[in-house]
Amino acid sequence: MIRFLKRYFKQSLIALTLLMSTGQMMTASAQGGHPGEFLVTQRWQYLLSSRNALANPALINEENYLSIKGAYSSIMNEFRLFEVGAAIPINLYQTAGVSILHYGVSPYARTDAQGGMIGDSISDSKTYVALTYAINPWKGLSIGANINLLSENFDAVKNFSAGVDLGITYRIINNSFLGHHVLGLDLQNLVMATLNPATNTQQYPRTLRISLNSTYWERRVESSLELAYKDIGTPGTEFLNGAVSGDMDLNARVGVWIFRIATVNGLLGWGPEGPEHLGVSIGANFPSMNNGRDLSVAYQFLDVLNGEDQDAPNHTIYIKGDFGKHREEVYARRMAKLVNYLPNDLYVKAINFYNQGNFWDAFFIFSQLHVEYPDFFKNDWVSYFIGSCQEEMDMRVTSEEAYRQTKEKFDRSAAVPFADLGMMRIYYRDNNYHLVERQFNELNKLGVPDSLKYHAYYIMGQSEMSQGNNAKAKQLFDLIPETHPDFVFAQHSAAVSEATGGNIEGAISHLENCIQAPVTTKAQKEIVNRSYVFLGYMFYEDLTKQEGPLAKAVTALRSVPKESYFYPDALVGLAWTALKARQWADCMTAGQELITIAPSVVLKAEGTLLVAYADMMQKNYAAAASLLEGAAKDLEQFTGPDEGGYSAKQQEYESSRSSYTQIARGAYDLGTARQSGFVLKQIDSLHTLQKDAKAKLDEFLKFSDNYKRTSMFAKNVQSVKEDVEYALAKAQKLAGSKVQIKENQKANEKANAIDQQLEDLKKQLEQENKKKEGQ
Amino acid sequence: MSHFLTTKQFRFSLLLTAGLLFPAIVQSASVQVPSMGIKTISEAMLRTRVGDTVWVEKGVYRERILIAPGVTLASRQLFGAVIDGGGRGIVVTMGKSTTISGLEVRNGTIGVFSNGSGNTITQCRIINNWQTGLMIVRHLPKVEDNVIAFNRASGIQGWDVRSTNATINHNSIVYNGNHGIAVGGSSELILENNVVAFNERFGIKILSQAERIQISNNNFYRNLQSPKPIPSGNFSFDPAFLAPRTNMNFKSDPARCCKAKGTDNEELGARLVY
């Protein structure tokens, strides 16, 4: 689309000389043809012409990523060209693109017809914008078009033009041995018109180009062949000698890739007068640095072989990068979205309920999904979550069944190890250690994520501990890495295991690991608090034989925050430690706080007992007795569980659990029924029953926990009761003795005073008797 | 091509496989292509019901096929039936619970597209497609003993692919123009016993969201070096194919190969008898 500026011929002679040196147009210029045929030849970017919209708009369909490229070309540092362009795949079959070029020569001196300098200088530059669209409508055929806008600025005269290029390509061969070949046909400037017809009567050259772009053996070898027939329909009057019109050029390129990183290309141009140019290019591609996409740089050198400007070689630098997503990935994403959104929405809703801890509602939505959308692509997880919701609601039997079903129906799903872990937890809670071990073996198989394996180690360790295999348990706990969420739990359990085996230093080491580990969840924080209490207990009992054990115990126990579940235990520990250290005031403070905050009668009584001890140590027996009397009354009224009571409660619990399983089965039946108004009502009714039954189960578990509460400082109800009664008796006795001593002292004093009086009277009588005898 | 299984042997193996997978098929009807009034596979598909099998004779079928739900499409002779997409479009689109077996699928934009549950792609050759060989969305079909090669983009492209009771097992995914296997979205799948070699880009590209992918006992050889290392438990050695370009024979040369076997103690890659 470069035109011949006949009327500026004399002034632009130097420019012509420079422009002619770019290769293909050499022949034309030598014959007085079109100057500045850069856009016609595109030789500056010959290296990338196999995918260039300017060479053939249909070729951009060969791009698979958002592709951005740039080129800079220079001839003798006088002529410069810049190009930037982008191709954007729209879908599997369509691509859009844009190219912007700016080129021109440095301002040069104006000359007369004889070449003499006139004085001022001339500027000459052009800016070209092409918008491209290509589509693959049928078989291997792609059709593309450029809409071109050209702005020319020559010697302060501006001209604007617009035009259209049309190109087609056809993928003729894709063969593993013969290579991949794309045949192209392009008509440049099919339509081109000036937008300033009054001032510009120039005609733009029309070029027909046939190309064959080929790659062989996974692009190890590349080649391009191009035959261009130029100036189609341009009148001879447009040429200097008035006769030349339509010449042909042949351009060829062959390149090889070395290790898919470096490339070397040879270029050859052939015109009517024989070889026109010879070139070489080197380049490198770094797809590994760009996530598998092209990221390449290249340099091209062209040497002109004939004509008057053979000494004006052309240097070009290229850069090209692919970005974004591959065409196939875009299509795959789009297809993944073309599904029924309802099951997706239900799934998300159910997951949200699950994460909020609303397992009842989550369960019914998962069940609905399971029944109404059997082809939902996440049905393996749906099946797993049905089991998990039931597990969270402590519906052990039905949960285990659901997990088992997940394993059977979706045997290769990633949900299977999660189901295995869920089953393992249920078996552990049911004290079914044989099945715990079976699940542990399942979770130790190849392909199970490490994170799940570590969970399994923890549960298995707990199971071993429950069976008294402390050494095995400790081995398993030690396998859990610090980064795993179960690390703190495992370390605490390992400490218990060590302490049980008499290795106190080892226990302390594990407790320190637990305390120092980074924690985020509430459960993790609580186990750390429990570790503090345990540590305090071991120091209190002086099991460590370390120096200053009581001070260390106090430090550990004071680390338990007030909001912790273990704070009352820490207070009990602090009070006992203070008592042992003869710090009566501290003991009383801790005991009094315990009385205030303790959640149970038993703990309150223990607090009272400690305060009473402190009082007694300060000889406040009466105050101590008074406190203990209150505690003793409370304990008397407290119907704490005895062995028989506990057994009865346990039987009641078993019965409740059986009923609860029936409720769980009912829930499952309702969940897997097609949802209707009637079913929804039944679900609501069942929820009330479920909550009541679950409350009963929880109540027993709490009761059992209190009954078995013998760990560390805290004592069970019987023990506290006995201690309070003993202390009360002692205090009362001591208080009673003190009163007697005072009374005796008073009597003695009185007797002494009487004796003294009697003595005085006796002395008086003796003196009077002597006086009488003397008289 | 002259060393294919005999028709009888191949038919037996297909029947056995189909019988194991879909017991109902044993009692189902068969449709022959070509046969009286049926010249194309598409015509045959119009006459099928759930559980039917369409048997395709040797030949090149220039059409694009939508496999009806529950139908099996099988070639009488291993790779004897060639479905040619003519350079554009999806050559084979699989419905729900469908099976393709023994076919060569080529020259489409995408060779095979599967998004339904319960699909099976076995002993197929998916080659020379202008983009992807096998595109999988959502449900992972059973992909076993296939050759997926010389496609201009990835051998397998998956998105939100979930492997619930199927795997990508014993395939030769080689010489593709982009990645051997590319998966993204919330994909969870299992890759085992495959040969993934000589692909122009990565052997496997996993986008960050797709974390639960089990890759074990595969041979990744001469793909583009990925910044993410291939997980341990996989191999890298020359599969020494006998004649990949000329005869599409991806059998390993026993004199030069192989250092490892699959989890089932069989040769890695497609277990085909040429």
Side-chain angles (χ1 to χ4, degrees):
Chain A
M1 69 194 73
I2 301 303
R3 62 190 197 176
F4 175 42
L5 304 168
K6 192 186 269 182
R7 60 188 164 164
Y8 293 119
F9 171 70
K10 290 175 186 173
Q11 290 93 337
S12 61
L13 200 60
I14 298 170
L16 276 174
T17 307
L18 288 163
L19 295 169
M20 284 188 298
S21 66
T22 59
Q24 182 168 349
M25 40 84 66
M26 278 292 296
T27 313
S29 65
Q31 296 168 340
H34 294 102
E37 287 179 318
F38 267 72
L39 282 173
V40 178
T41 65
Q42 280 111 42
R43 184 155 306 137
W44 84 93
Q45 55 167 17
Y46 210 54
L47 202 62
L48 303 179
S49 68
S50 60
R51 290 183 178 183
N52 195 312
L54 300 179
N56 183 339
L59 281 171
I60 60 166
N61 247 358
E62 298 300 312
E63 293 285 4
N64 286 314
Y65 287 100
L66 162 63
S67 170
I68 296 173
K69 65 186 175 182
Y72 169 71
S73 189
S74 166
I75 301 165
M76 294 175 69
N77 217 22
E78 286 290 340
F79 175 84
R80 293 185 189 86
L81 179 144
F82 302 90
E83 186 213 1
V84 289
I88 307 145
I90 300 168
N91 56 28
L92 277 182
Y93 306 110
Q94 296 177 73
T95 312
V98 61
S99 305
I100 301 167
L101 266 85
H102 179 80
Y103 56 97
V105 294
S106 306
Y108 51 86
R110 192 187 298 277
T111 59
D112 58 20
Q114 286 72 42
M117 308 279 267
I118 291 176
D120 61 345
S121 63
I122 295 170
S123 62
D124 181 5
S125 68
K126 294 175 180 66
T127 302
Y128 173 92
V129 178
L131 302 173
T132 310
Y133 171 77
I135 184 168
N136 168 211
W138 176 77
K139 293 196 169 181
L141 179 74
S142 286
I143 301 171
N146 286 332
I147 295 173
N148 307 314
L149 297 166
L150 176 68
S151 162
E152 297 168 285
N153 181 5
F154 184 81
D155 197 17
V157 177
K158 288 194 173 178
N159 184 38
F160 295 96
S161 316
V164 174
D165 306 333
L166 192 67
I168 58 170
T169 60
Y170 194 80
R171 297 157 172 171
I172 51 172
I173 298 173
N174 183 15
N175 184 280
S176 55
F177 187 71
L178 300 173
H180 165 238
H181 305 269
V182 178
L183 190 65
L185 185 69
D186 173 57
L187 189 56
Q188 204 154 27
N189 288 339
L190 174 70
V191 179
M192 190 75 179
T194 177
L195 301 176
N196 314 86
T199 56
N200 185 2
T201 58
Q202 300 158 70
Q203 187 171 356
Y204 294 89
R206 194 169 289 124
T207 300
L208 181 70
R209 183 180 291 109
I210 300 168
S211 61
L212 178 66
N213 295 308
S214 309
T215 61
Y216 307 85
W217 310 304
E218 293 75 57
R219 296 193 182 96
R220 287 193 184 94
V221 178
E222 294 178 338
S223 71
S224 294
L225 197 64
E226 179 187 289
L227 185 67
Y229 183 65
K230 304 194 298 183
D231 306 322
I232 299 167
T234 307
T237 51
E238 291 286 319
F239 293 87
L240 280 178
N241 57 13
V244 177
S245 172
D247 60 69
M248 293 190 69
D249 286 331
L250 181 70
N251 298 295
R253 174 179 70 91
V254 177
V256 290
W257 282 93
I258 303 156
F259 299 120
R260 290 184 187 153
I261 293 174
T263 179
V264 179
N265 285 266
L267 301 107
L268 173 70
W270 199 279
E273 295 183 350
E276 277 185 358
H277 69 263
L278 206 53
V280 66
S281 83
I282 53 169
N285 192 13
F286 307 100
S288 288
M289 292 166 63
N290 193 25
N291 206 12
R293 297 168 293 212
D294 278 349
L295 184 65
S296 58
V297 291
Y299 164 75
Q300 175 188 285
F301 171 79
L302 278 187
D303 190 23
V304 180
L305 299 176
N306 62 24
E308 59 192 63
D309 296 303
Q310 331 181 2
D311 296 329
N314 167 223
H315 304 269
T316 311
I317 295 168
Y318 307 91
I319 183 161
K320 177 179 180 286
D322 285 346
F323 302 94
K325 302 168 186 75
H326 195 283
R327 201 186 281 274
E328 62 177 354
E329 186 188 323
V330 172
Y331 185 75
R333 281 171 181 256
R334 202 168 290 167
M335 294 311 289
K337 284 181 185 168
L338 286 179
V339 290
N340 186 354
Y341 279 101
L342 194 57
N344 268 326
D345 291 346
L346 281 174
Y347 185 77
V348 171
K349 195 175 167 188
I351 289 284
N352 285 340
F353 275 136
Y354 183 88
N355 290 335
Q356 289 160 14
N358 183 353
F359 302 111
W360 180 260
D361 288 334
F363 168 77
F364 281 101
I365 296 173
F366 282 127
S367 300
Q368 185 189 354
L369 262 171
H370 190 63
V371 175
E372 293 180 11
Y373 300 95
D375 288 331
F376 179 53
F377 82 117
K378 285 188 175 173
N379 254 354
D380 51 340
W381 283 109
V382 168
S383 177
Y384 163 76
F385 278 117
I386 286 173
S388 183
C389 287
Q390 290 176 319
E391 188 194 342
E392 294 287 352
M393 292 188 287
D394 207 13
M395 298 173 171
R396 296 180 191 174
V397 176
T398 48
S399 169
E400 192 262 355
E401 285 169 3
Y403 284 142
R404 204 148 20 89
Q405 216 171 55
T406 305
K407 286 187 66 174
E408 285 164 8
K409 276 182 77 177
F410 308 103
D411 59 331
R412 302 312 298 261
S413 164
V416 167
F418 287 85
D420 273 323
L421 189 69
M423 289 166 81
M424 191 176 183
R425 280 190 300 261
I426 291 169
Y427 297 145
Y428 172 68
R429 280 182 206 136
D430 286 346
N431 302 328
N432 198 338
Y433 301 125
H434 169 67
L435 290 177
V436 168
E437 191 172 350
R438 189 193 72 184
Q439 290 307 112
F440 179 68
N441 292 334
E442 285 290 313
L443 286 160
N444 258 310
K445 285 182 179 168
L446 191 74
V448 175
D450 285 347
S451 167
L452 295 189
K453 279 186 182 172
Y454 297 139
H455 277 298
Y457 290 160
Y458 175 65
I459 298 169
M460 190 65 205
Q462 291 288 90
S463 173
E464 293 288 3
M465 267 182 80
S466 303
Q467 296 171 83
N469 304 326
N470 287 331
K472 268 191 187 174
K474 196 190 156 295
Q475 274 179 355
L476 288 160
F477 294 140
D478 283 346
L479 291 170
I480 300 169
E482 196 175 346
T483 48
H484 194 267
D486 279 355
F487 175 75
V488 282
F489 301 98
Q491 288 300 310
H492 183 87
S493 297
V496 174
S497 170
E498 292 279 28
T500 312
N503 182 2
I504 301 301
E505 290 308 321
I508 286 178
S509 166
H510 284 296
L511 289 174
E512 279 170 354
N513 288 342
C514 179
I515 287 161
Q516 285 160 13
V519 288
T520 48
T521 66
K522 197 182 170 199
Q524 286 174 328
K525 285 174 186 167
E526 284 298 10
I527 202 70
V528 167
N529 292 332
R530 192 170 173 169
S531 290
Y532 276 125
V533 176
F534 191 15
L535 199 60
Y537 175 73
M538 283 197 289
F539 283 123
Y540 168 80
E541 292 287 356
D542 200 13
L543 300 173
T544 64
K545 306 296 175 201
Q546 290 184 16
E547 281 183 19
L550 294 181
K552 284 178 180 169
V554 169
T555 307
L557 293 165
R558 279 186 181 160
S559 301
V560 180
K562 283 192 174 181
E563 59 275 13
S564 169
Y565 174 79
F566 295 101
Y567 186 62
D569 292 86
L571 278 179
V572 178
L574 276 171
W576 280 113
T577 312
L579 193 70
K580 197 171 184 180
R582 306 181 72 78
Q583 301 295 318
W584 318 125
D586 289 346
C587 178
M588 286 184 81
T589 308
Q592 272 158 357
E593 192 177 352
L594 186 63
I595 295 166
T596 315
I597 64 147
S600 74
V601 173
V602 183
L603 260 183
K604 276 183 197 295
E606 191 167 353
T608 308
L609 179 67
L610 283 156
V611 174
Y613 279 152
D615 271 337
M616 285 164 74
M617 289 300 172
Q618 293 173 91
K619 296 191 168 47
N620 297 328
Y621 303 114
S626 164
L627 278 171
L628 289 166
E629 274 171 15
K633 269 184 195 168
D634 289 342
L635 285 172
E636 209 166 308
Q637 285 167 4
F638 177 69
T639 49
D642 54 10
E643 197 65 44
Y646 181 79
S647 300
K649 286 252 182 195
Q650 195 168 21
Q651 275 179 3
E652 200 180 314
Y653 166 77
E654 297 297 341
S655 165
S656 301
R657 183 153 284 289
S658 174
S659 310
Y660 194 58
T661 301
Q662 291 310 312
I663 289 171
R665 289 207 188 283
Y668 183 79
D669 291 342
L670 286 175
T672 50
R674 293 266 167 188
Q675 298 228 342
S676 62
F678 175 70
V679 169
L680 290 174
K681 268 185 191 172
Q682 284 196 314
I683 289 172
D684 283 345
S685 308
L686 194 68
H687 196 191
T688 312
L689 288 175
Q690 183 266 337
K691 281 192 282 191
D692 291 347
K694 178 77 167 45
K696 272 186 186 174
L697 297 180
D698 290 345
E699 197 183 334
F700 171 76
L701 295 174
K702 201 173 170 185
F703 168 82
S704 175
D705 189 43
N706 272 331
Y707 178 73
K708 292 175 181 172
R709 194 181 171 86
T710 54
S711 61
M712 294 183 274
F713 300 102
K715 301 179 174 188
N716 67 10
V717 61
Q718 287 306 325
S719 174
V720 173
K721 217 174 202 177
E722 283 166 14
D723 286 357
V724 166
E725 281 166 7
Y726 177 77
L728 177 60
K730 185 97 181 168
Q732 282 173 339
K733 188 179 171 191
L734 288 169
S737 305
K738 201 172 171 184
V739 170
Q740 194 61 47
I741 289 164
K742 276 183 182 174
E743 281 174 1
N744 288 343
Q745 275 178 345
K746 276 182 185 173
N748 286 338
E749 281 168 11
K750 210 171 180 178
N752 287 338
I754 292 167
D755 288 346
Q756 189 65 44
Q757 276 180 343
L758 287 171
E759 194 68 30
D760 289 343
L761 285 170
K762 197 176 174 183
K763 280 177 183 175
Q764 262 182 329
L765 283 171
E766 281 173 2
Q767 281 174 355
E768 281 178 11
N769 289 335
K770 278 177 185 177
K771 277 179 187 175
K772 282 178 184 174
E773 285 169 7
Q775 286 172 354
Chain B
M1 298 284 196
S2 58
H3 303 294
F4 286 143
L5 272 173
T6 64
T7 307
K8 197 176 171 185
Q9 282 172 310
F10 181 58
R11 197 181 300 173
F12 174 74
S13 70
L14 276 178
L15 274 171
L16 189 67
T17 312
L20 285 171
L21 288 170
F22 301 101
I25 288 176
V26 178
Q27 297 166 0
S28 305
S30 289
V31 182
Q32 180 83 22
V33 180
S35 63
M36 191 70 79
I38 302 174
K39 289 178 183 171
T40 64
I41 299 169
S42 300
E43 283 170 4
M45 282 296 156
L46 294 174
R47 301 188 184 194
T48 56
R49 289 177 304 172
V50 173
D52 287 355
T53 301
V54 176
W55 289 101
V56 188
E57 290 295 340
K58 187 177 178 181
V60 178
Y61 298 83
R62 296 182 199 284
E63 55 184 316
R64 296 200 294 264
I65 295 157
L66 173 63
I67 304 180
V71 171
T72 295
L73 177 65
S75 172
R76 287 279 183 200
Q77 190 183 61
L78 183 65
F79 306 146
V82 176
I83 306 174
D84 188 314
R88 188 185 186 277
I90 299 168
V91 187
V92 175
T93 304
M94 301 180 78
K96 186 186 155 193
S97 301
T98 58
T99 298
I100 56 171
S101 182
L103 303 164
E104 178 174 310
V105 180
R106 72 179 189 202
N107 198 26
T109 306
I110 293 167
V112 178
F113 179 83
S114 171
N115 68 350
S117 60
N119 290 339
T120 300
I121 302 162
T122 182
Q123 296 192 320
C124 287
R125 193 155 68 188
I126 304 168
I127 55 168
N128 291 337
N129 294 288
W130 294 92
Q131 286 284 334
T132 317
L134 170 59
M135 184 169 282
I136 309 166
V137 171
R138 303 257 156 173
H139 299 274
L140 179 72
K142 181 183 174 188
V143 184
E144 205 163 290
D145 293 312
N146 301 286
V147 169
I148 302 170
F150 299 112
N151 300 291
R152 298 284 294 166
S154 299
I156 297 176
Q157 167 73 60
W159 199 263
D160 283 348
V161 185
R162 310 284 330 294
S163 170
T164 54
N165 38 27
T167 59
I168 297 176
N169 189 24
H170 277 296
N171 300 281
S172 298
I173 303 160
V174 291
Y175 297 106
N176 294 292
N178 197 23
H179 312 296
I181 301 164
V183 281
S186 54
S187 293
E188 298 174 4
L189 50 88
I190 299 168
L191 293 171
E192 41 189 29
N193 307 322
N194 301 287
V195 173
V196 185
F198 305 112
N199 297 290
E200 283 186 49
R201 295 303 190 233
F202 303 138
I204 180 157
K205 184 181 181 187
I206 302 169
L207 294 178
S208 54
Q209 307 101 300
E211 289 169 347
R212 289 182 184 145
I213 294 184
Q214 290 178 40
I215 307 168
S216 58
N217 270 73
N218 301 283
N219 179 15
F220 290 95
Y221 184 72
R222 287 237 183 133
N223 304 292
L224 181 68
Q225 188 76 36
S226 168
K228 286 183 186 171
I230 298 294
S232 59
N234 293 279
F235 318 107
S236 184
F237 57 83
D238 186 355
F241 296 132
L242 284 170
R245 288 186 196 283
T246 49
N247 286 338
M248 290 277 167
N249 186 340
F250 292 90
K251 197 86 189 152
S252 293
D253 181 353
R256 294 187 292 143
C257 186
C258 292
K259 290 179 186 172
K261 297 243 174 194
T263 48
D264 44 12
N265 206 32
E266 293 195 52
E267 192 177 315
L268 297 176
R271 296 162 297 183
L272 299 169
V273 180
Y274 291 86

